[in-house]
Amino acid sequence: MPETAPSQIPVAVVGPTGYTGLELIELLCRHPRLRPAYLASARAEPARMTREFPRLAGRLPAGLAPDTEPINHDAIAGRCRLAFLCLPHEAAMEHAPQLLRRGVKVVDLSAAYRLKDPAVYAAAYGHAHTDPAGLARAVYGLPELFGQRLSGAALVANPGCYPTAAALTIAPLLRDGLAEPSSPIVYAASGVSGAGREPKPHLTLAEAGENFSAYGIGVHRHQPEIEQSLRWAAPDQAAAVRVLFLPHLLPIERGILETIVLEPARAGLTTADVTDTLRRAYAGHPLVVVRDEAPAVRDAQRTARVHVNARLVGGRIVAVAAIDNLAKGAAAQAVQNANILMGIDPLAGVE
Amino acid sequence: MPETAPSQIPVAVVGPTGYTGLELIELLCRHPRLRPAYLASARAEPARMTREFPRLAGRLPAGLAPDTEPINHDAIAGRCRLAFLCLPHEAAMEHAPQLLRRGVKVVDLSAAYRLKDPAVYAAAYGHAHTDPAGLARAVYGLPELFGQRLSGAALVANPGCYPTAAALTIAPLLRDGLAEPSSPIVYAASGVSGAGREPKPHLTLAEAGENFSAYGIGVHRHQPEIEQSLRWAAPDQAAAVRVLFLPHLLPIERGILETIVLEPARAGLTTADVTDTLRRAYAGHPLVVVRDEAPAVRDAQRTARVHVNARLVGGRIVAVAAIDNLAKGAAAQAVQNANILMGIDPLAGVE
Amino acid sequence: MPETAPSQIPVAVVGPTGYTGLELIELLCRHPRLRPAYLASARAEPARMTREFPRLAGRLPAGLAPDTEPINHDAIAGRCRLAFLCLPHEAAMEHAPQLLRRGVKVVDLSAAYRLKDPAVYAAAYGHAHTDPAGLARAVYGLPELFGQRLSGAALVANPGCYPTAAALTIAPLLRDGLAEPSSPIVYAASGVSGAGREPKPHLTLAEAGENFSAYGIGVHRHQPEIEQSLRWAAPDQAAAVRVLFLPHLLPIERGILETIVLEPARAGLTTADVTDTLRRAYAGHPLVVVRDEAPAVRDAQRTARVHVNARLVGGRIVAVAAIDNLAKGAAAQAVQNANILMGIDPLAGVE
Amino acid sequence: MPETAPSQIPVAVVGPTGYTGLELIELLCRHPRLRPAYLASARAEPARMTREFPRLAGRLPAGLAPDTEPINHDAIAGRCRLAFLCLPHEAAMEHAPQLLRRGVKVVDLSAAYRLKDPAVYAAAYGHAHTDPAGLARAVYGLPELFGQRLSGAALVANPGCYPTAAALTIAPLLRDGLAEPSSPIVYAASGVSGAGREPKPHLTLAEAGENFSAYGIGVHRHQPEIEQSLRWAAPDQAAAVRVLFLPHLLPIERGILETIVLEPARAGLTTADVTDTLRRAYAGHPLVVVRDEAPAVRDAQRTARVHVNARLVGGRIVAVAAIDNLAKGAAAQAVQNANILMGIDPLAGVE
């Protein structure tokens, strides 16, 4: 299995010691075409990967160095055709242009290139964007909604976890004129891996376990990202789009559930109407599963799928979507985007 | 402590082998005035309480029989002045009138006496109400909102867990004219003990653990109960009251968080306005804690308190309430109601 | 990926609606050579697989029937070259001979064919063995210890989860004369999926969550299975082998940790001695990872690996092994065995 | 309830912002005689207790300052008759003598005064003992084993969580000559609150959740503490006492289970023999519950009880004990010791 067949495409993972890095490496270890060839870390000391994550023992491909290597742009370019960046936003803006310049395609899992308007980015993330040229050419990698933009792209902004599920659920309803663009309330709940690997007081098992809480009410950075996707998906209604985003922290490791309430845009709307719209929107997109019943987090966990259900309840549209924040919400979607950039089967090795 | 002082009031727990029964017994074991004197079960065989719940070993009061006894109305009346009913709804309607007739006051923890309109009850619970006379005299035991009704009561309908938190949060906002009565959306999430002790496929750790799901969307029985409280609290707006209730199942044992979105009833409403209304409403009510930050489930767990926070977000009111479904959402509130019926300190032994 | 290439080998999963069945199907869905072609269930009504397990939606291979089919031996033989049995022990003994007779190789995940002595089987499982001929020809499929027996086999008894980790840890220490064969104490703890999918009172989240308990002390069926492996591995000490097995139930979905204490067989034994023995034993066996530190359940979870560490502590040998009960402890090992039976790469598609 | 009756005894909690501090405060808030009158913290800034622990909102006694106060020995002595120290070991050694000198009795929940031999202390804790005089007068507060020592004591070393359960289980078996003193193997598993409130990488929900691991194998500081108790309990066998202690980390908040294996000291020992010994040992001690079945963590959680079961299995003694690490393993036992020091009912307010 790990023999370096000529058909294999060597890739780098830059920032492999966080949870999205680990998830990506586990996916790449069994990917039929992409082969991890360079694990690059900004840490002062090289990290032995099987010490960071003992679960990788015996599973890394034969040729891969056991320790992380420095983020050396030339070395990465010498060995790899594509790099996944699992870095803080600021670091991503620093390394992406260097890699692109050397002919390495980039799938960036940070938020650095997600928000097209640098002012919106600065407001949401609290610092100026330092690579506006990169931002201008970056493509937002949500293939089921904006797949046509990805052809010929070299830099992909991999969407956020919450925004992937929210946009996939709401966009078709706006596009087909079923829901009021100013109405969406996204009640969302995520497992703790979404908050990263850094230990923080509210993330310990003694605090986060047997608990549930709201956070970032009305100020979460994913709210403008969701709105941007909806404006793109329904450009004629762009000015009216407004989303209320209410994230919560679940006492689980991974997975997201979003329960979304919208006002119908016209009278007499039925459950069949909204279901039909969703089914048509995702007819050729196997990673979005349109369901007749509300999905649970477990349905999507450790899969590359988003499960969606929608219905009319007391005159409102109520939709429920499940996604794995580390898979379709991060690493699996990054692999999907990389597959597209490399011109191979978009779904190869995504789960 | 367990000596039978003359000042102690003997009470019965009818249906002591479920989770609310256990919670009630644990509270009563350290209650300064109420003393469990009769544990009555409908089971064919007596249940040894310390076998049902080994955690009770050594903690039951000295005089109490170690096994459950039959539901014998005369025997209960001979020994107890008040009975807590932790029974299925139908059984509660059967036993409550028998006990009342014998002079035993009743706090019913089922839903049997919560919905004043027998037709609403029948629609929500799927069977006709068999004790309309009892229903007529029953008092809904939510002391912080409707405490004045409890004076002289003999039969108290102990409110549901979700409705307690929802009504306490929304009622003052309607009463003071701050929120539109047709607007409340109650996103709610509860620990699994709310579903009872019966093992069911979706309640196993292998299914409910590391999971989160919506259920009963638009058809949950607590929706009319919440609406009833809001109509009582704001009678002038009763006709307009409409609640969208969206319950979810949390992978935890106990505790509820409700995130509630409302439309303001007037322009210019501020966070200070809604906070002031809540603070004034609960000034003399220590079991409702009005907070400046959104509470977490853990804050209320195993306490008799409801923690509430409300704010303006993007032109909407967003409130967050935390409650323990077995404590203030069931047993602790039942003790509070029993204290009131017995004329002792309402907060004695509630936590 | 799911195209039916001529090089693919069609296989059946008999009993696909339990947890090992699900795990097996998920592995087979991405196996490079084995392709699930028949899902056979004893249920009266066909089960729609994506309703049983919504997480399979969109992931089953194109040609596979969406519903389970009856356990028809001829039909299975007409379509498949190998069958995995995920059935109760008694049912496995009924179907295995029928399939073998029709030329279908069998990997049995029940305990039906694990204990070579029918009397030991009857004592452990409480019923007589009904297929002694099958028992005689069955091969115990623990490739890292007894791989040579598998060549030419048609019926493989897939080992139990606890016994796989225990035997792999202890056998080399006995074989090399490092540990007393009568001394092993196996403290073991397993996630709840090991208890199956049937809801039972002690398996609900409200009971098993935030809990930990011992069970089956001294009477667990896996004790004779562990002892059998040790006798096979160290035949000269067979008469002295005696294991004390102490299983516990963990509040997690999957994974096992075993902490094993043994008396050294000779004075002066060092940590280096026991580590060397383990490393030599598993030099060519990548699924056993010999570690310098004690492994955690998480290290092995959702991998096909067993992680093992051993050391001298206060004059005793203390070993710690981690395994995933559904993977190397069941489905992944079954795939490994099937690969061997079919003459393909033993590790293909095991994780 | 919180009125300062003349019969109430004011006490201090020094170090109230950790998990044992919180647990102690919750117990004291409903204690019939002890009343928290001073919360002293070493932090530079006063901590608002209801911000540290929102669950305390509305529950602290009326007269208590809402913020922590400095650790001022004179001020504490001016207001309190006893102080609970919930501090790091080094800090406890600093403050205990100061408080004792001022006439304040001390129950120390750290390990500072547990190990009578300063050399053993230094070896286990890695620093010299700085209060040997205090160590000499301190009494080890395990009332069920060494209650007679507590009469007249002023400084109590509150035992460790693991050692409390282990000593209570093993001591009677040694004392009655049923078990070999060199044989005990204590396989123990604790919830994460035992590791304190400081966030550490291995304590996050993403790491500790769905996980189980061994730690401190053979080097845990509680091993000498257990051995000390056994030597005291069976002084004639003191020289032979040797314990192998194997702690594990459970994915739960609180609670400990210990599964203990011992070699019988004489042939023909029966389950009845070991059960009788335990029952006789704890006849007058309601906090030790001797059971006929193995207890679970849940049985003891949030109670002041230790549940114990023992049996003969394959020629060995296997005992299982459950305890709550924060209750009988820390705060509840501290309250029990304080009650004894103050001459009131030893069990008042322990649960």
Side-chain angles (χ1 to χ4, degrees):
Chain A
M1 191 168 38
E3 60 271 18
T4 314
S7 68
Q8 289 194 313
I9 300 164
V11 300
V13 177
V14 186
T17 60
Y19 289 136
T20 52
L22 171 61
E23 183 73 7
L24 199 45
I25 291 169
E26 294 208 47
L27 286 176
L28 293 173
C29 283
R30 58 186 185 223
H31 195 289
R33 300 293 307 282
L34 304 181
R35 181 177 50 82
Y38 198 117
L39 305 182
S41 169
R43 294 199 190 172
E45 294 298 314
R48 172 65 43 114
M49 285 305 293
T50 54
R51 202 158 293 148
E52 280 298 310
F53 300 116
R55 58 183 289 104
L56 292 179
R59 298 166 66 204
L60 295 171
L64 188 67
D67 292 341
T68 58
E69 302 180 74
I71 309 184
N72 180 318
H73 306 125
D74 290 326
I76 294 172
R79 248 188 272 162
C80 301
R81 294 177 52 199
L82 180 144
F84 296 96
L85 305 190
C86 305
L87 296 168
H89 319 303
E90 295 92 328
M93 291 190 276
E94 177 192 340
H95 296 297
Q98 297 291 341
L99 291 165
L100 289 166
R101 187 169 309 149
R102 286 164 178 82
V104 179
K105 296 193 174 187
V106 170
V107 176
D108 177 33
L109 286 88
S110 85
Y113 297 98
R114 290 181 193 156
L115 296 170
K116 271 294 166 190
D117 182 337
V120 174
Y121 177 87
Y125 289 87
H127 52 252
H129 204 288
T130 60
D131 181 23
L135 188 54
R137 69 186 287 208
V139 174
Y140 189 75
L142 189 44
E144 289 80 7
L145 285 182
F146 313 117
Q148 73 291 353
R149 305 182 185 186
L150 286 161
S151 90
L155 170 57
V156 169
N158 209 57
C161 48
Y162 286 127
T164 295
L168 288 170
T169 304
I170 305 171
L173 304 177
L174 294 198
R175 218 163 38 194
D176 281 15
L178 304 192
E180 282 294 343
S182 69
S183 70
I185 303 175
V186 179
Y187 170 87
S190 171
V192 292
S193 61
R197 201 179 169 208
E198 191 72 28
K200 290 175 190 159
H202 72 293
L203 298 178
T204 63
L205 176 53
E207 296 293 332
E210 294 291 303
N211 200 359
F212 185 59
S213 55
Y215 69 97
I217 302 175
V219 300
H220 196 283
R221 297 153 164 193
H222 282 175
Q223 183 161 320
E225 188 181 338
I226 298 169
E227 291 175 339
Q228 173 180 273
S229 284
L230 300 184
R231 290 193 183 102
W232 286 342
D236 54 315
Q237 308 166 55
V241 164
R242 200 189 54 164
V243 169
L244 177 58
F245 181 56
L246 301 169
H248 295 71
L249 188 66
L250 278 170
I252 66 174
E253 183 191 343
R254 51 196 282 170
I256 284 174
L257 196 81
E258 300 186 352
T259 301
I260 302 171
V261 176
L262 308 103
E263 296 295 332
R266 55 175 167 82
L269 201 69
T270 67
T271 294
D273 294 334
V274 293
T275 305
D276 286 355
T277 275
L278 290 170
R279 284 203 206 285
R280 265 183 288 110
Y282 299 113
H285 296 288
L287 296 190
V288 183
V289 179
V290 181
R291 300 263 302 271
D292 289 325
E293 331 76 36
V297 164
R298 182 170 287 276
D299 300 343
Q301 242 164 9
R302 294 185 176 84
T303 81
R305 319 276 158 165
V306 179
H307 287 234
V308 186
N309 167 262
R311 69 187 72 189
L312 267 287
V313 180
R316 290 184 180 110
I317 304 168
V318 177
V320 181
I323 188 174
D324 186 316
N325 58 302
L326 292 179
K328 178 67 174 169
Q333 186 147 267
V335 170
Q336 185 184 7
N337 281 317
N339 291 341
I340 294 170
L341 293 196
M342 291 296 123
I344 62 180
D345 174 4
L347 304 188
V350 297
E351 65 192 7
Chain B
M1 193 171 31
E3 59 270 20
T4 312
S7 68
Q8 288 194 314
I9 300 164
V11 300
V13 177
V14 186
T17 62
Y19 288 136
T20 51
L22 171 61
E23 184 72 9
L24 199 45
I25 291 169
E26 293 207 48
L27 286 176
L28 293 174
C29 282
R30 58 187 184 223
H31 195 290
R33 300 291 308 282
L34 305 182
R35 181 178 50 82
Y38 197 117
L39 305 183
S41 171
R43 294 199 190 173
E45 295 297 314
R48 170 67 43 115
M49 286 306 292
T50 54
R51 202 159 293 149
E52 280 298 309
F53 300 117
R55 59 182 290 104
L56 292 178
R59 297 166 67 204
L60 295 171
L64 188 66
D67 293 339
T68 58
E69 303 180 73
I71 309 184
N72 180 319
H73 305 125
D74 289 326
I76 294 172
R79 248 188 272 162
C80 302
R81 294 178 52 199
L82 179 143
F84 296 96
L85 305 190
C86 305
L87 295 169
H89 318 303
E90 296 93 328
M93 292 188 275
E94 177 192 338
H95 296 296
Q98 297 290 340
L99 291 164
L100 289 166
R101 188 169 309 149
R102 286 163 178 83
V104 180
K105 297 194 175 188
V106 170
V107 176
D108 177 33
L109 286 88
S110 85
Y113 297 97
R114 291 179 193 158
L115 296 170
K116 270 294 168 191
D117 182 336
V120 173
Y121 177 86
Y125 290 88
H127 52 253
H129 204 288
T130 60
D131 181 24
L135 188 54
R137 69 187 285 209
V139 175
Y140 189 75
L142 188 44
E144 288 81 5
L145 284 183
F146 312 117
Q148 73 291 352
R149 305 183 185 187
L150 285 162
S151 90
L155 168 60
V156 169
N158 209 57
C161 48
Y162 287 127
T164 295
L168 288 170
T169 304
I170 304 171
L173 303 178
L174 294 198
R175 216 164 40 195
D176 280 16
L178 304 192
E180 283 293 344
S182 69
S183 70
I185 303 175
V186 179
Y187 296 96
S190 171
V192 292
S193 61
R197 202 180 169 208
E198 191 72 28
K200 290 175 190 160
H202 73 292
L203 298 178
T204 63
L205 176 52
E207 297 293 331
E210 295 290 305
N211 202 359
F212 185 59
S213 55
Y215 69 97
I217 302 176
V219 299
H220 195 283
R221 297 154 166 193
H222 283 174
Q223 183 160 319
E225 188 180 338
I226 298 169
E227 291 175 339
Q228 173 180 272
S229 284
L230 300 185
R231 290 194 184 102
W232 285 342
D236 54 316
Q237 309 166 54
V241 165
R242 200 190 53 165
V243 169
L244 177 57
F245 181 56
L246 300 169
H248 296 71
L249 187 66
L250 278 171
I252 67 174
E253 183 189 344
R254 52 197 280 171
I256 284 174
L257 195 81
E258 299 186 353
T259 301
I260 302 172
V261 178
L262 309 104
E263 296 294 333
R266 56 176 166 82
L269 201 69
T270 67
T271 294
D273 293 334
V274 293
T275 304
D276 285 356
T277 276
L278 290 170
R279 283 202 207 286
R280 264 183 288 109
Y282 300 114
H285 296 287
L287 296 190
V288 183
V289 179
V290 181
R291 301 263 301 271
D292 289 326
E293 332 77 36
V297 164
R298 182 170 287 277
D299 301 343
Q301 242 163 10
R302 294 183 175 84
T303 82
R305 318 277 159 166
V306 180
H307 287 235
V308 186
N309 167 262
R311 68 187 74 190
L312 267 287
V313 180
R316 290 185 179 106
I317 303 169
V318 177
V320 180
I323 188 175
D324 186 316
N325 57 301
L326 292 179
K328 178 66 173 169
Q333 186 148 266
V335 170
Q336 185 184 6
N337 281 317
N339 291 341
I340 294 171
L341 294 196
M342 290 296 123
I344 63 181
D345 173 4
L347 303 189
V350 295
E351 64 191 8
Chain C
M1 192 170 35
E3 61 270 20
T4 313
S7 68
Q8 288 193 315
I9 300 164
V11 300
V13 177
V14 186
T17 59
Y19 289 136
T20 52
L22 171 62
E23 184 72 9
L24 199 45
I25 291 169
E26 294 208 48
L27 286 176
L28 293 174
C29 283
R30 59 186 185 224
H31 196 289
R33 299 292 306 281
L34 305 182
R35 181 178 49 82
Y38 198 116
L39 305 182
S41 170
R43 294 200 189 171
E45 294 298 314
R48 171 65 43 114
M49 285 306 293
T50 53
R51 203 159 294 149
E52 280 297 310
F53 299 116
R55 58 183 289 104
L56 292 178
R59 297 166 67 203
L60 296 172
L64 188 66
D67 291 341
T68 57
E69 303 180 73
I71 309 184
N72 179 319
H73 306 125
D74 290 327
I76 294 172
R79 247 188 273 163
C80 301
R81 293 177 53 198
L82 181 144
F84 296 96
L85 306 190
C86 306
L87 295 168
H89 318 304
E90 295 92 329
M93 291 189 275
E94 177 192 340
H95 296 296
Q98 297 291 342
L99 291 166
L100 289 167
R101 188 169 308 150
R102 286 163 178 81
V104 180
K105 295 192 176 188
V106 170
V107 176
D108 177 33
L109 286 89
S110 85
Y113 297 97
R114 290 180 193 157
L115 296 170
K116 271 294 167 190
D117 183 337
V120 174
Y121 177 86
Y125 290 88
H127 53 253
H129 204 289
T130 60
D131 181 23
L135 188 54
R137 68 186 288 207
V139 174
Y140 189 75
L142 189 44
E144 289 80 6
L145 284 183
F146 313 117
Q148 73 290 352
R149 304 183 185 188
L150 286 162
S151 90
L155 169 58
V156 169
N158 209 58
C161 49
Y162 286 127
T164 294
L168 287 170
T169 303
I170 305 172
L173 304 178
L174 295 198
R175 217 163 39 194
D176 281 15
L178 305 191
E180 284 292 346
S182 69
S183 70
I185 303 174
V186 179
Y187 296 97
S190 172
V192 291
S193 61
R197 202 179 169 209
E198 192 72 27
K200 291 175 190 159
H202 71 293
L203 298 178
T204 63
L205 176 53
E207 296 293 331
E210 294 291 302
N211 200 359
F212 186 59
S213 55
Y215 69 97
I217 301 176
V219 300
H220 196 283
R221 297 152 165 195
H222 282 175
Q223 183 161 319
E225 188 181 337
I226 298 169
E227 291 175 339
Q228 174 180 272
S229 284
L230 300 184
R231 290 193 183 103
W232 286 342
D236 54 316
Q237 308 166 54
V241 165
R242 201 190 53 164
V243 169
L244 177 58
F245 181 56
L246 300 169
H248 296 71
L249 187 66
L250 278 171
I252 66 174
E253 183 191 343
R254 52 196 281 171
I256 284 174
L257 195 82
E258 299 185 353
T259 301
I260 302 172
V261 178
L262 309 103
E263 295 295 331
R266 55 177 167 82
L269 201 69
T270 66
T271 294
D273 294 334
V274 293
T275 305
D276 285 357
T277 275
L278 290 170
R279 282 203 207 286
R280 265 183 289 109
Y282 300 113
H285 296 288
L287 296 190
V288 183
V289 179
V290 181
R291 301 264 303 271
D292 289 327
E293 331 76 37
V297 163
R298 182 170 286 277
D299 301 344
Q301 241 164 10
R302 294 185 176 84
T303 81
R305 319 276 158 167
V306 179
H307 288 234
V308 186
N309 167 262
R311 68 187 72 189
L312 268 286
V313 179
R316 288 185 180 110
I317 303 168
V318 177
V320 180
I323 188 174
D324 186 315
N325 58 301
L326 292 179
K328 179 66 174 169
Q333 186 147 265
V335 170
Q336 186 185 6
N337 281 317
N339 291 340
I340 294 171
L341 293 196
M342 290 296 122
I344 62 179
D345 174 5
L347 304 188
V350 296
E351 65 192 8
Chain D
M1 190 170 37
E3 61 272 18
T4 313
S7 68
Q8 288 195 313
I9 300 164
V11 300
V13 177
V14 186
T17 61
Y19 288 136
T20 51
L22 171 61
E23 184 72 9
L24 199 44
I25 291 169
E26 293 206 49
L27 286 176
L28 293 173
C29 283
R30 57 185 186 224
H31 195 289
R33 300 291 307 282
L34 304 182
R35 180 178 50 82
Y38 197 117
L39 304 183
S41 170
R43 294 199 189 173
E45 294 298 315
R48 171 66 43 115
M49 285 307 292
T50 54
R51 202 160 293 150
E52 281 297 310
F53 299 117
R55 58 182 290 105
L56 292 178
R59 297 166 67 203
L60 295 171
L64 187 66
D67 293 339
T68 58
E69 303 180 74
I71 309 183
N72 180 319
H73 306 125
D74 289 326
I76 294 172
R79 250 188 270 162
C80 302
R81 293 177 53 199
L82 179 143
F84 296 97
L85 305 190
C86 305
L87 295 168
H89 319 303
E90 296 91 329
M93 292 188 276
E94 179 192 338
H95 296 296
Q98 297 290 341
L99 291 165
L100 289 166
R101 188 168 308 149
R102 286 164 177 82
V104 180
K105 296 193 176 189
V106 170
V107 176
D108 177 32
L109 286 88
S110 85
Y113 297 97
R114 291 179 193 158
L115 295 170
K116 270 294 167 191
D117 182 337
V120 173
Y121 177 86
Y125 290 88
H127 53 252
H129 204 289
T130 60
D131 181 23
L135 188 54
R137 68 186 287 207
V139 175
Y140 189 73
L142 188 45
E144 288 81 5
L145 285 182
F146 313 117
Q148 74 290 353
R149 304 182 186 188
L150 285 161
S151 89
L155 169 58
V156 169
N158 209 58
C161 48
Y162 287 127
T164 295
L168 288 170
T169 304
I170 304 171
L173 304 178
L174 295 198
R175 217 164 40 194
D176 280 15
L178 303 193
E180 283 293 345
S182 69
S183 71
I185 302 174
V186 179
Y187 170 87
S190 171
V192 292
S193 61
R197 201 179 169 208
E198 191 72 28
K200 290 174 190 161
H202 72 292
L203 298 179
T204 63
L205 176 53
E207 297 292 331
E210 295 289 303
N211 201 0
F212 185 59
S213 55
Y215 69 96
I217 302 176
V219 299
H220 195 283
R221 297 154 165 192
H222 283 174
Q223 183 161 319
E225 188 180 338
I226 298 169
E227 291 175 339
Q228 173 179 274
S229 284
L230 300 184
R231 290 193 183 102
W232 286 341
D236 54 316
Q237 308 166 54
V241 165
R242 202 190 51 166
V243 170
L244 176 58
F245 181 55
L246 301 169
H248 295 71
L249 187 66
L250 278 171
I252 66 174
E253 183 190 344
R254 52 196 282 171
I256 284 175
L257 196 82
E258 300 186 352
T259 301
I260 302 172
V261 176
L262 308 104
E263 296 294 333
R266 55 174 167 84
L269 201 69
T270 66
T271 294
D273 294 334
V274 293
T275 305
D276 286 357
T277 275
L278 290 170
R279 283 204 206 285
R280 263 183 289 109
Y282 300 114
H285 297 287
L287 295 190
V288 183
V289 179
V290 181
R291 300 264 301 271
D292 289 325
E293 330 78 35
V297 164
R298 183 170 286 276
D299 300 343
Q301 241 163 12
R302 294 185 176 83
T303 82
R305 318 277 158 165
V306 179
H307 287 234
V308 186
N309 167 263
R311 68 187 74 190
L312 267 286
V313 180
R316 290 184 179 108
I317 303 168
V318 177
V320 180
I323 188 175
D324 186 316
N325 57 301
L326 292 179
K328 178 66 175 169
Q333 185 147 267
V335 171
Q336 185 185 7
N337 281 317
N339 291 340
I340 294 170
L341 294 196
M342 290 297 123
I344 62 179
D345 174 5
L347 304 189
V350 296
E351 63 192 8

